[in-house]
Amino acid sequence: MNAKAFFHSKTNLTAFKTSLLDAFLARQYISSPKKKNTLIQSQTWADSHIDLLALDLKPAANIVTITAGACHALAYLSCKPAAIHCVDENSAQLALLEIKAKALIHLPDYDAVLKFLAQPHQSDNLKRYQRHLRANLSEAASHYWQKRNLLGRPRYYAFSNNLQEHGYYNTSLRFLRFLLIQLGARFDKLPLAKDLAQQNHIFEQDILPALQNKTFLFLMRRRFILNQLGFNQNQINKLKNTKQDANRDTNQAELSQLLIQRLRRLLCDFSIAENHFAQQVIGSTYQIQLQQSLPLYLQKNVFPQLRQYAHRIHPHQHRLIDFLQQQSPQSIDAFVLQDHLDYLSSEEIKSLWQEINRCAAPGAKVLIRSLGTQLPLPQVVFQSEQASWQTNALRNQELQSKDRCALYGSLFVLDKK
């Protein structure tokens, strides 16, 4: 096709300009979030209560999980596991995991842990770090938290500010929240709602108009903005749930509406007072006076178990498949993959699943989340005569409906027969 024929179509011209804009901004102005020493997220965007329901962990379980923000892994300590192996290529996420685990062990009491990990503007946290944590960190974790940022402050100053506002994706989320506020969104009204009906009314009247603003929609149709929020191209395709076609703008428009629908569910289907995910999205801090408002690993009723078993957290800086290749056959009772499969190609998934199948103990479970609505596994996993995995679609849907994070499109629990 010659250039004249291509540009004859206004739609093609618009798509071409949009593609150039995305590529230029992505390369020239937006740094990659995939650096292996950059903190990506300071909390896990997955509901630990749902994880525990799904996995039904027994005492002395051997667990492997993607590290992410570490909140979920620490919550699993309440089930008295034999070991929790947290695997990540990113040394920053492992340093975050370690300092959270060491805080549970070495800070004087529950109140000190809560102030260190959940409350913003606690200048005494600098003393807590120096007195109780620094000497107990590994060399790698200590190096990470001692390193100074561009302002000349050591990274551990994050604990005297607001830990939940730190991390690559959190910074992007703050930018979008600021933009929406400038466009008229009133997130500050949501915590004042007395019930779900009021939350829905506030969303419709005071938030949705900003989400439908042309400026905001324009940004949400840009690939580089979605990348900054943590969506890679595989996930964008899963969100669209449709094959790529020439009408790229239409696909992106549908995608922005889908994201708005999920945000609506996050902010309207669960009480704000009991949903720390919603609190983080709207810019609120944890409502520490309400225990049910806190992530599970920060709730007082599980603190004694977490303190007792936190030494059973084991960080590993590896690719997941490389770690599993080092494990003995039938040695793992639970695999928590989060949305890891969304980032892999079909061939990579097949190779990873071979190792999961080899390492899985009898009765093992695998927990998978996806931004799409389809199970991101090849059908051969279930179709061969040697297939040893099963899943319950109704149970998966029930768990997904209760997940307060609400940003994922699906959740799957696989059981080994």
Side-chain angles (χ1 to χ4, degrees), residues 240-258:
K240 293 176 184 177
N241 200 25
T242 183
K243 293 182 179 180
Q244 296 290 334
D245 59 37
N247 196 349
R248 185 170 179 270
D249 279 353
T250 299
N251 279 338
Q252 294 290 52
E254 293 170 353
L255 175 56
S256 63
Q257 293 305 314
L258 177 58

Side-chain angles (χ1 to χ4, degrees), residues 95-110:
L96 178 69
L97 164 74
E98 185 172 334
I99 200 169
K100 286 184 175 182
K102 296 296 185 181
L104 291 171
I105 297 172
H106 295 291
L107 289 181
D109 51 30
Y110 171 74

